[in-house]
Amino acid sequence: MKKFADTVRRLLSIALNLFIVWAEPIALPMSWDWGKEQMFIFYTEDSNILSACICAMVAVGQLVCIFTGRELPRWLHTLKYIATCCLTMTFLTVVFVLGPMYEDGNGWYIMLCTSSMLYHHLLNPLAAIFSFVLLERTPRLPRSTVKWALLPTVLYGGIILWLNIQRVVDGPYPFMKVYDQSVQASVLWCIAILLMNYFYAWLLWKLNGGKKENA
């Protein structure tokens, strides 16, 4: 019975990971039509491309696990954790920051239910969260893994902020526009985003059943 339950769990994990892989060829052309190469300066597109690649690896890994009876390698589980944190950051930033910025009150609908944003802001993040939290609970990740989930955000933020300072790009997010706000505001935004990212990463680690001891 346990073997059957494990097989079902892995098949569901494969299905959700492949959904994210399947969604990218649909969503990316929409993003390209909207902004061409400018789409690559958005955290949303970058995190979804990264996550699709990792989810493809996880789907293959889960298929191997069905035949071997083993669990995902820790390194692959860690990559899925990092990808899930990125998509969670995308989803919740839209919900709590970008959505409310629309003055007409349609921000959440526009950013969660239209064009490529339906996949990149809503469906892909939810698929990643559900699969990671409910279906990919082993091997348990040590508490020290949480800090690595911030790495993509730090790298992205550092590069985009520098490009904004050099006036190579403008934004693309309102809180990244360093010349439209004070230095103090930019610093506070950076701190707030990293704190949010850390909290989301810690919460996902906790919900996934992460272990406290370092390993």
Side-chain angles (χ1 to χ4, degrees), residues 3 8 15 25 27 29 32 40 50 62 70 86 94 96 107 109 116 118 133 145 153 167 170 194 202 204 206 214:
K3 184 177 180 180
V8 171
W32 179 264
F40 294 111
L50 172 66
Q62 291 285 44
R70 300 176 181 176
C86 289
V94 168
F96 293 117
Y109 171 76
S116 63
L118 171 64
V133 170
T145 309
T153 301
R167 299 185 186 274
D170 183 32
L194 288 177
W202 174 84
L204 284 169
K206 193 74 174 178
N214 290 329

mmCIF file of all heavy atoms in Angstrom, residues 3 8 15 25 27 29 32 40 50 62 70 86 94 96 107 109 116 118 133 145 153 167 170 194 202 204 206 214:
data_model
loop_
_atom_site.group_PDB
_atom_site.id
_atom_site.type_symbol
_atom_site.label_atom_id
_atom_site.label_comp_id
_atom_site.label_asym_id
_atom_site.label_seq_id
_atom_site.Cartn_x
_atom_site.Cartn_y
_atom_site.Cartn_z
ATOM 1 N N LYS A 3 3.895 1.524 -1.156
ATOM 2 C CA LYS A 3 4.525 1.659 -2.465
ATOM 3 C C LYS A 3 3.552 2.265 -3.472
ATOM 4 O O LYS A 3 3.932 3.125 -4.286
ATOM 5 C CB LYS A 3 5.005 0.293 -2.963
ATOM 6 C CG LYS A 3 5.751 0.366 -4.283
ATOM 7 C CD LYS A 3 6.276 -0.995 -4.697
ATOM 8 C CE LYS A 3 7.035 -0.902 -6.021
ATOM 9 N NZ LYS A 3 7.555 -2.237 -6.456
ATOM 10 N N VAL A 8 1.712 7.057 -6.597
ATOM 11 C CA VAL A 8 0.703 8.069 -6.906
ATOM 12 C C VAL A 8 1.240 9.468 -6.602
ATOM 13 O O VAL A 8 1.065 10.410 -7.388
ATOM 14 C CB VAL A 8 -0.588 7.809 -6.120
ATOM 15 C CG1 VAL A 8 -1.562 8.978 -6.268
ATOM 16 C CG2 VAL A 8 -1.246 6.507 -6.581
ATOM 17 N N ALA A 15 3.167 15.330 -12.826
ATOM 18 C CA ALA A 15 2.132 16.058 -13.568
ATOM 19 C C ALA A 15 2.224 17.564 -13.318
ATOM 20 O O ALA A 15 2.145 18.366 -14.259
ATOM 21 C CB ALA A 15 0.754 15.538 -13.173
ATOM 22 N N PRO A 25 6.157 27.307 -23.122
ATOM 23 C CA PRO A 25 6.024 27.593 -24.558
ATOM 24 C C PRO A 25 4.751 28.364 -24.911
ATOM 25 O O PRO A 25 4.650 28.933 -26.002
ATOM 26 C CB PRO A 25 6.018 26.195 -25.199
ATOM 27 C CG PRO A 25 6.691 25.319 -24.210
ATOM 28 C CD PRO A 25 6.304 25.863 -22.878
ATOM 29 N N ALA A 27 3.339 30.718 -22.532
ATOM 30 C CA ALA A 27 3.451 32.036 -21.902
ATOM 31 C C ALA A 27 4.570 32.890 -22.488
ATOM 32 O O ALA A 27 4.397 34.102 -22.678
ATOM 33 C CB ALA A 27 3.659 31.864 -20.398
ATOM 34 N N PRO A 29 5.942 33.219 -25.557
ATOM 35 C CA PRO A 29 5.629 34.002 -26.761
ATOM 36 C C PRO A 29 4.739 35.208 -26.470
ATOM 37 O O PRO A 29 4.870 36.252 -27.129
ATOM 38 C CB PRO A 29 4.923 32.987 -27.663
ATOM 39 C CG PRO A 29 5.454 31.658 -27.222
ATOM 40 C CD PRO A 29 5.616 31.792 -25.738
ATOM 41 N N TRP A 32 7.039 37.761 -25.087
ATOM 42 C CA TRP A 32 7.888 38.275 -26.160
ATOM 43 C C TRP A 32 7.121 39.264 -27.035
ATOM 44 O O TRP A 32 7.642 40.316 -27.411
ATOM 45 C CB TRP A 32 8.429 37.128 -27.003
ATOM 46 C CG TRP A 32 9.300 37.580 -28.133
ATOM 47 C CD1 TRP A 32 8.943 37.788 -29.441
ATOM 48 C CD2 TRP A 32 10.688 37.917 -28.048
ATOM 49 N NE1 TRP A 32 10.013 38.218 -30.186
ATOM 50 C CE2 TRP A 32 11.107 38.308 -29.353
ATOM 51 C CE3 TRP A 32 11.625 37.913 -27.022
ATOM 52 C CZ2 TRP A 32 12.405 38.696 -29.636
ATOM 53 C CZ3 TRP A 32 12.925 38.297 -27.299
ATOM 54 C CH2 TRP A 32 13.306 38.684 -28.593
ATOM 55 N N PHE A 40 13.318 39.950 -20.582
ATOM 56 C CA PHE A 40 14.336 39.298 -19.774
ATOM 57 C C PHE A 40 14.824 40.143 -18.604
ATOM 58 O O PHE A 40 15.584 39.656 -17.768
ATOM 59 C CB PHE A 40 15.526 38.888 -20.653
ATOM 60 C CG PHE A 40 15.189 37.832 -21.663
ATOM 61 C CD1 PHE A 40 15.160 38.127 -23.016
ATOM 62 C CD2 PHE A 40 14.871 36.543 -21.256
ATOM 63 C CE1 PHE A 40 14.834 37.150 -23.952
ATOM 64 C CE2 PHE A 40 14.539 35.566 -22.184
ATOM 65 C CZ PHE A 40 14.520 35.868 -23.530
ATOM 66 N N LEU A 50 13.785 29.759 -15.277
ATOM 67 C CA LEU A 50 14.604 28.945 -14.376
ATOM 68 C C LEU A 50 13.791 27.796 -13.792
ATOM 69 O O LEU A 50 14.239 26.639 -13.771
ATOM 70 C CB LEU A 50 15.159 29.816 -13.249
ATOM 71 C CG LEU A 50 15.887 29.087 -12.114
ATOM 72 C CD1 LEU A 50 17.166 28.452 -12.622
ATOM 73 C CD2 LEU A 50 16.174 30.043 -10.954
ATOM 74 N N GLN A 62 11.689 12.204 -10.626
ATOM 75 C CA GLN A 62 10.583 11.460 -10.009
ATOM 76 C C GLN A 62 10.275 10.190 -10.787
ATOM 77 O O GLN A 62 9.927 9.157 -10.199
ATOM 78 C CB GLN A 62 9.334 12.349 -9.944
ATOM 79 C CG GLN A 62 9.429 13.499 -8.967
ATOM 80 C CD GLN A 62 9.295 13.069 -7.517
ATOM 81 O OE1 GLN A 62 9.873 12.086 -7.079
ATOM 82 N NE2 GLN A 62 8.512 13.806 -6.761
ATOM 83 N N ARG A 70 13.768 5.042 -4.764
ATOM 84 C CA ARG A 70 14.503 6.057 -4.017
ATOM 85 C C ARG A 70 13.753 7.384 -4.032
ATOM 86 O O ARG A 70 12.771 7.545 -4.741
ATOM 87 C CB ARG A 70 15.901 6.236 -4.612
ATOM 88 C CG ARG A 70 16.757 4.969 -4.591
ATOM 89 C CD ARG A 70 18.077 5.224 -5.286
ATOM 90 N NE ARG A 70 18.916 4.017 -5.313
ATOM 91 C CZ ARG A 70 20.085 3.934 -5.917
ATOM 92 N NH1 ARG A 70 20.571 4.997 -6.584
ATOM 93 N NH2 ARG A 70 20.777 2.806 -5.887
ATOM 94 N N CYS A 86 11.310 31.317 -5.682
ATOM 95 C CA CYS A 86 11.281 32.380 -6.695
ATOM 96 C C CYS A 86 9.859 32.620 -7.190
ATOM 97 O O CYS A 86 9.416 33.774 -7.310
ATOM 98 C CB CYS A 86 12.188 32.008 -7.864
ATOM 99 S SG CYS A 86 13.958 32.074 -7.508
ATOM 100 N N VAL A 94 3.067 40.242 -6.521
ATOM 101 C CA VAL A 94 1.918 40.722 -7.289
ATOM 102 C C VAL A 94 0.723 40.953 -6.376
ATOM 103 O O VAL A 94 0.047 41.981 -6.449
ATOM 104 C CB VAL A 94 1.563 39.718 -8.403
ATOM 105 C CG1 VAL A 94 0.198 40.066 -9.022
ATOM 106 C CG2 VAL A 94 2.635 39.719 -9.482
ATOM 107 N N PHE A 96 0.550 41.419 -3.036
ATOM 108 C CA PHE A 96 0.661 42.396 -1.948
ATOM 109 C C PHE A 96 1.293 43.734 -2.347
ATOM 110 O O PHE A 96 1.130 44.720 -1.621
ATOM 111 C CB PHE A 96 1.472 41.798 -0.792
ATOM 112 C CG PHE A 96 0.782 40.653 -0.114
ATOM 113 C CD1 PHE A 96 1.340 39.390 -0.136
ATOM 114 C CD2 PHE A 96 -0.426 40.832 0.538
ATOM 115 C CE1 PHE A 96 0.709 38.313 0.494
ATOM 116 C CE2 PHE A 96 -1.072 39.776 1.168
ATOM 117 C CZ PHE A 96 -0.504 38.506 1.139
ATOM 118 N N GLY A 107 -5.994 45.799 -10.646
ATOM 119 C CA GLY A 107 -4.622 45.314 -10.672
ATOM 120 C C GLY A 107 -4.491 43.819 -10.506
ATOM 121 O O GLY A 107 -3.752 43.156 -11.248
ATOM 122 N N TYR A 109 -6.739 41.455 -11.065
ATOM 123 C CA TYR A 109 -7.260 40.730 -12.226
ATOM 124 C C TYR A 109 -6.292 40.802 -13.402
ATOM 125 O O TYR A 109 -5.988 39.784 -14.035
ATOM 126 C CB TYR A 109 -8.621 41.292 -12.640
ATOM 127 C CG TYR A 109 -9.110 40.721 -13.956
ATOM 128 C CD1 TYR A 109 -9.625 39.425 -14.015
ATOM 129 C CD2 TYR A 109 -9.018 41.463 -15.138
ATOM 130 C CE1 TYR A 109 -10.042 38.884 -15.221
ATOM 131 C CE2 TYR A 109 -9.430 40.934 -16.335
ATOM 132 C CZ TYR A 109 -9.938 39.640 -16.390
ATOM 133 O OH TYR A 109 -10.330 39.106 -17.587
ATOM 134 N N SER A 116 0.299 36.285 -20.493
ATOM 135 C CA SER A 116 1.278 35.361 -19.908
ATOM 136 C C SER A 116 1.269 35.415 -18.395
ATOM 137 O O SER A 116 1.740 34.480 -17.727
ATOM 138 C CB SER A 116 2.692 35.695 -20.407
ATOM 139 O OG SER A 116 3.097 36.986 -19.991
ATOM 140 N N LEU A 118 -1.174 35.085 -16.429
ATOM 141 C CA LEU A 118 -2.000 34.006 -15.888
ATOM 142 C C LEU A 118 -1.130 32.815 -15.503
ATOM 143 O O LEU A 118 -1.333 32.195 -14.460
ATOM 144 C CB LEU A 118 -3.050 33.581 -16.916
ATOM 145 C CG LEU A 118 -3.854 32.312 -16.592
ATOM 146 C CD1 LEU A 118 -4.699 32.518 -15.344
ATOM 147 C CD2 LEU A 118 -4.712 31.910 -17.778
ATOM 148 N N VAL A 133 5.237 21.474 -1.492
ATOM 149 C CA VAL A 133 4.773 21.341 -0.110
ATOM 150 C C VAL A 133 4.089 20.005 0.153
ATOM 151 O O VAL A 133 4.292 19.375 1.193
ATOM 152 C CB VAL A 133 3.826 22.513 0.247
ATOM 153 C CG1 VAL A 133 3.145 22.268 1.597
ATOM 154 C CG2 VAL A 133 4.597 23.822 0.269
ATOM 155 N N THR A 145 19.473 25.589 4.378
ATOM 156 C CA THR A 145 19.101 25.719 2.965
ATOM 157 C C THR A 145 18.338 27.011 2.695
ATOM 158 O O THR A 145 18.362 27.520 1.560
ATOM 159 C CB THR A 145 18.228 24.517 2.537
ATOM 160 O OG1 THR A 145 18.877 23.302 2.914
ATOM 161 C CG2 THR A 145 18.006 24.502 1.037
ATOM 162 N N THR A 153 17.191 36.160 -5.980
ATOM 163 C CA THR A 153 16.674 37.515 -5.783
ATOM 164 C C THR A 153 17.805 38.514 -5.592
ATOM 165 O O THR A 153 17.768 39.624 -6.142
ATOM 166 C CB THR A 153 15.732 37.551 -4.561
ATOM 167 O OG1 THR A 153 14.650 36.638 -4.779
ATOM 168 C CG2 THR A 153 15.167 38.945 -4.344
ATOM 169 N N ARG A 167 21.497 53.970 -15.725
ATOM 170 C CA ARG A 167 20.483 54.424 -16.673
ATOM 171 C C ARG A 167 20.419 53.563 -17.937
ATOM 172 O O ARG A 167 20.027 54.033 -19.009
ATOM 173 C CB ARG A 167 20.702 55.897 -17.058
ATOM 174 C CG ARG A 167 20.623 56.857 -15.882
ATOM 175 C CD ARG A 167 20.736 58.297 -16.341
ATOM 176 N NE ARG A 167 20.793 59.223 -15.233
ATOM 177 C CZ ARG A 167 19.722 59.743 -14.607
ATOM 178 N NH1 ARG A 167 18.511 59.403 -15.000
ATOM 179 N NH2 ARG A 167 19.872 60.592 -13.615
ATOM 180 N N ASP A 170 15.134 51.215 -17.045
ATOM 181 C CA ASP A 170 14.288 51.991 -16.137
ATOM 182 C C ASP A 170 13.301 51.040 -15.497
ATOM 183 O O ASP A 170 12.364 50.581 -16.135
ATOM 184 C CB ASP A 170 13.551 53.086 -16.900
ATOM 185 C CG ASP A 170 12.725 53.968 -15.969
ATOM 186 O OD1 ASP A 170 13.145 54.154 -14.813
ATOM 187 O OD2 ASP A 170 11.655 54.446 -16.390
ATOM 188 N N LEU A 194 13.924 41.684 0.575
ATOM 189 C CA LEU A 194 14.740 40.573 1.072
ATOM 190 C C LEU A 194 14.119 39.941 2.321
ATOM 191 O O LEU A 194 14.159 38.715 2.481
ATOM 192 C CB LEU A 194 16.163 41.052 1.366
ATOM 193 C CG LEU A 194 17.021 41.360 0.136
ATOM 194 C CD1 LEU A 194 18.378 41.891 0.558
ATOM 195 C CD2 LEU A 194 17.189 40.096 -0.721
ATOM 196 N N TRP A 202 11.493 30.700 4.428
ATOM 197 C CA TRP A 202 11.401 29.979 5.708
ATOM 198 C C TRP A 202 10.064 29.259 5.819
ATOM 199 O O TRP A 202 10.017 28.095 6.254
ATOM 200 C CB TRP A 202 11.547 30.955 6.880
ATOM 201 C CG TRP A 202 11.321 30.303 8.208
ATOM 202 C CD1 TRP A 202 12.222 29.604 8.966
ATOM 203 C CD2 TRP A 202 10.073 30.250 8.933
ATOM 204 N NE1 TRP A 202 11.619 29.127 10.105
ATOM 205 C CE2 TRP A 202 10.313 29.508 10.112
ATOM 206 C CE3 TRP A 202 8.804 30.753 8.695
ATOM 207 C CZ2 TRP A 202 9.301 29.265 11.050
ATOM 208 C CZ3 TRP A 202 7.799 30.512 9.617
ATOM 209 C CH2 TRP A 202 8.057 29.782 10.789
ATOM 210 N N LEU A 204 8.057 28.154 3.401
ATOM 211 C CA LEU A 204 8.033 26.996 2.502
ATOM 212 C C LEU A 204 8.877 25.859 3.058
ATOM 213 O O LEU A 204 8.496 24.685 2.972
ATOM 214 C CB LEU A 204 8.535 27.388 1.109
ATOM 215 C CG LEU A 204 7.563 28.183 0.250
ATOM 216 C CD1 LEU A 204 8.273 28.725 -0.987
ATOM 217 C CD2 LEU A 204 6.364 27.321 -0.162
ATOM 218 N N LYS A 206 9.442 25.287 6.182
ATOM 219 C CA LYS A 206 8.688 24.756 7.336
ATOM 220 C C LYS A 206 7.550 23.863 6.854
ATOM 221 O O LYS A 206 7.339 22.752 7.380
ATOM 222 C CB LYS A 206 8.141 25.913 8.165
ATOM 223 C CG LYS A 206 7.624 25.527 9.534
ATOM 224 C CD LYS A 206 8.755 25.215 10.477
ATOM 225 C CE LYS A 206 8.243 24.976 11.883
ATOM 226 N NZ LYS A 206 9.342 24.614 12.817
ATOM 227 N N ASN A 214 21.524 21.492 10.967
ATOM 228 C CA ASN A 214 22.257 21.710 9.723
ATOM 229 C C ASN A 214 22.811 20.402 9.224
ATOM 230 O O ASN A 214 23.094 19.479 9.995
ATOM 231 C CB ASN A 214 23.415 22.693 9.941
ATOM 232 C CG ASN A 214 22.926 24.104 10.179
ATOM 233 O OD1 ASN A 214 21.892 24.495 9.672
ATOM 234 N ND2 ASN A 214 23.674 24.864 10.961
#
